[in-house]
Amino acid sequence: MSDPDQPDSAGATRRTDPTGAAVAPLWRAAQAFRLVTLLYAVGQQVASVPNYHNQRLSWVLIALMAVWSGVSALMLSQWHFPEVARRLRVWVVLGDHVVVILLIASTRLVADYDWYHGHQTLPTTLWATNAVISAAILRGPVAGVLSGLLIASVALTVRDQWGNDVWTDATVPVLVSVGLALGLAAETARRAQGQVERAVRLTAAAEERERLAREVHDGVLQVLAYIKRRGTEIGGATAELARRAGEQEVALRVLLSEQGARPHGEPGAEVDLRPLLTAQARPDVSVSTPGEPVLLGRAVAAELDGAVRNALANVAQHAGPEAKAYVLLEDTGAELIVSVRDDGVGIAPGRLAEAEAEGRLGVSRSIVGRLAALGGTAVLLTEETGGVGFGTEWEFRIPLRGVAR
């Protein structure tokens, strides 16, 4: 992806505008259409001018229309400085509507009632469509439809055709349809451009994570594994160093796995929680999930998945080499319950509080803090429920009401 700050030939800074770039082809096509409709309006003027009672004024108005068409086309095609162009387009589109309305109204100054009541207005309906097109590209389908209704209403008022002829005249449906179609096209283009930008950013982030993971694996993780192995072999005072190195190795592996498994896409989209949990199954980890999808918002699912990963990391570190873990997912309809149980050596009463007092905040932040941020609870079942000596169990509960599903 290109650098958002690019110096131009004059040394100034030029910033990219993703949403503006998305509709740039529409703006260019609109200006080509503007020039085509200008030629049509001039041709219509040549054919109609003999019927005007003020022919000189009509040519002056057509000249003003031609000048405005050229000026507005140039300003709307300005892309060198997006921040300026964005503000400029708003004023040009407003000016477009003012000019169109004034030119339509001026029809009564150059022609009599019998003429303007039964014919097109002075700048023609086709040229007046440019204002509708610009509004639709600038602000979307709603602005396009409203602009179409405004221009059509002015034309019908000037021609004095409010009545039964309104429903048979093509002015209203043509202008409204153009505004709706171009507005939808502009919105679709902006949405597609946004999705492409997000995909590019996510791809770049994923590649960077993979690169860092490789470097960490080739360096830090191998060193930690070596310290753990050698410290265990040497024994004595180095055994504690080996244990700490082993803990950090597991924690770092969990962190890298969380980054790699983080669900991507739009923040508001839903994902099935089951595949995230079953991906953690290993010979020493069993995962049980419901048969039906358990849908959660991406952010909520990622946080809950992270809490389970940290609980399993604690099992690997502290439950003993022969310990096995069991993950159970339940959806009661009112709340979501995830249980992470192991059959290891258990946790002594007060050990978590001691660890937190020592500054080791892995459980309090990575597990309890995560669930609290989601509006849920994380309860550790230990001695009081047969935990110590018989393993431990984490029970995560998240109320589904008010949680993005």
Side-chain angles (χ1 to χ4, degrees):
M1 189 168 58
S2 61
D3 190 348
D5 295 330
Q6 300 174 344
D8 58 17
S9 58
T13 299
R14 185 181 301 176
R15 294 185 176 274
T16 58
D17 179 13
T19 58
V23 295
L26 292 177
W27 281 117
R28 288 192 288 268
Q31 305 327 305
F33 178 79
R34 183 185 296 270
L35 298 179
V36 170
T37 57
L38 173 62
L39 296 177
Y40 175 79
V42 172
Q44 184 70 19
Q45 166 70 6
V46 173
S48 303
V49 69
N51 301 289
Y52 296 156
H53 61 72
N54 195 336
Q55 298 180 7
R56 181 176 298 178
L57 178 59
S58 70
W59 281 113
V60 171
L61 295 173
I62 291 298
L64 292 175
M65 180 185 67
V67 171
W68 173 254
S69 296
V71 171
S72 59
L74 289 174
M75 289 190 292
L76 290 175
S77 300
Q78 174 62 251
W79 299 102
H80 295 294
F81 301 97
E83 290 296 331
V84 177
R86 205 163 27 238
R87 294 191 295 269
L88 182 62
R89 285 195 295 271
V90 174
W91 289 107
V92 173
V93 172
L94 291 175
D96 238 351
H97 286 73
V98 173
V99 171
V100 167
I101 291 172
L102 292 177
L103 286 175
I104 291 176
S106 68
T107 305
R108 292 198 174 191
L109 299 177
V110 301
D112 56 26
Y113 179 84
D114 291 337
W115 173 261
Y116 64 68
H117 180 68
H119 296 80
Q120 293 190 64
T121 54
L122 181 64
T124 79
T125 301
L126 190 61
W127 186 86
T129 308
N130 289 291
V132 179
I133 292 175
S134 296
I137 297 175
L138 183 67
R139 286 290 184 265
V142 174
V145 170
L146 293 176
S147 174
L149 291 174
L150 173 63
I151 301 300
S153 299
V154 173
L156 292 173
T157 300
V158 169
R159 295 166 62 190
D160 193 20
Q161 288 190 337
W162 287 104
N164 294 333
D165 288 343
V166 172
W167 311 112
T168 59
D169 191 280
T171 302
V172 176
V174 166
L175 293 178
V176 172
S177 299
V178 168
L180 178 62
L182 267 296
L184 290 174
E187 285 297 304
T188 301
R190 290 188 180 95
R191 191 178 302 112
Q193 180 70 19
Q195 292 173 348
V196 169
E197 292 289 331
R198 284 193 294 273
V200 170
R201 288 195 298 269
L202 290 173
T203 300
E207 292 175 352
E208 181 64 13
R209 281 197 300 270
E210 291 176 3
R211 184 186 67 81
L212 291 175
R214 287 193 298 269
E215 293 184 2
V216 169
H217 180 271
D218 294 340
V220 180
L221 288 177
Q222 290 184 356
V223 171
L224 290 174
Y226 176 76
I227 294 174
K228 176 184 177 183
R229 184 174 64 255
R230 290 293 296 154
T232 303
E233 293 173 355
I234 296 173
T238 60
E240 176 66 15
L241 178 62
R243 185 180 68 81
R244 293 294 181 92
E247 292 177 356
Q248 293 306 311
E249 179 190 3
V250 173
L252 189 54
R253 290 185 185 277
V254 169
L255 176 62
L256 292 176
S257 65
E258 283 183 16
Q259 296 298 318
R262 190 176 299 279
H264 300 310
E266 297 184 5
E270 293 182 334
V271 295
D272 189 355
L273 180 62
R274 298 177 304 165
L276 297 178
L277 298 184
T278 54
Q280 303 180 41
R282 301 187 297 272
D284 57 345
V285 178
S286 299
V287 180
S288 299
T289 60
E292 297 295 326
V294 179
L295 299 179
L296 287 175
R298 289 185 183 273
V300 177
E303 289 300 302
L304 187 55
D305 176 50
V308 173
R309 287 179 181 274
N310 275 276
L312 292 176
N314 287 333
V315 173
Q317 293 179 45
H318 305 297
E322 303 299 325
K324 293 186 177 181
Y326 307 88
V327 179
L328 175 63
L329 172 63
E330 299 176 85
D331 185 355
T332 66
E335 64 179 354
L336 204 63
I337 304 174
V338 181
S339 301
V340 182
R341 182 173 59 86
D342 69 78
D343 57 2
V345 298
I347 299 177
R351 176 63 189 127
L352 293 182
E354 292 176 5
E356 185 172 355
E358 295 171 359
R360 303 173 63 184
L361 305 177
V363 171
S364 63
R365 290 184 178 175
S366 300
I367 297 179
V368 179
R370 269 190 165 113
L371 270 294
L374 298 177
T377 58
V379 178
L380 179 62
L381 307 177
T382 54
E383 184 178 25
E384 291 76 6
T385 55
V388 173
F390 303 92
T392 59
E393 180 177 357
W394 278 105
E395 187 175 82
F396 307 146
R397 291 178 176 266
I398 299 179
L400 294 178
R401 179 172 299 177
V403 175
R405 295 206 60 174

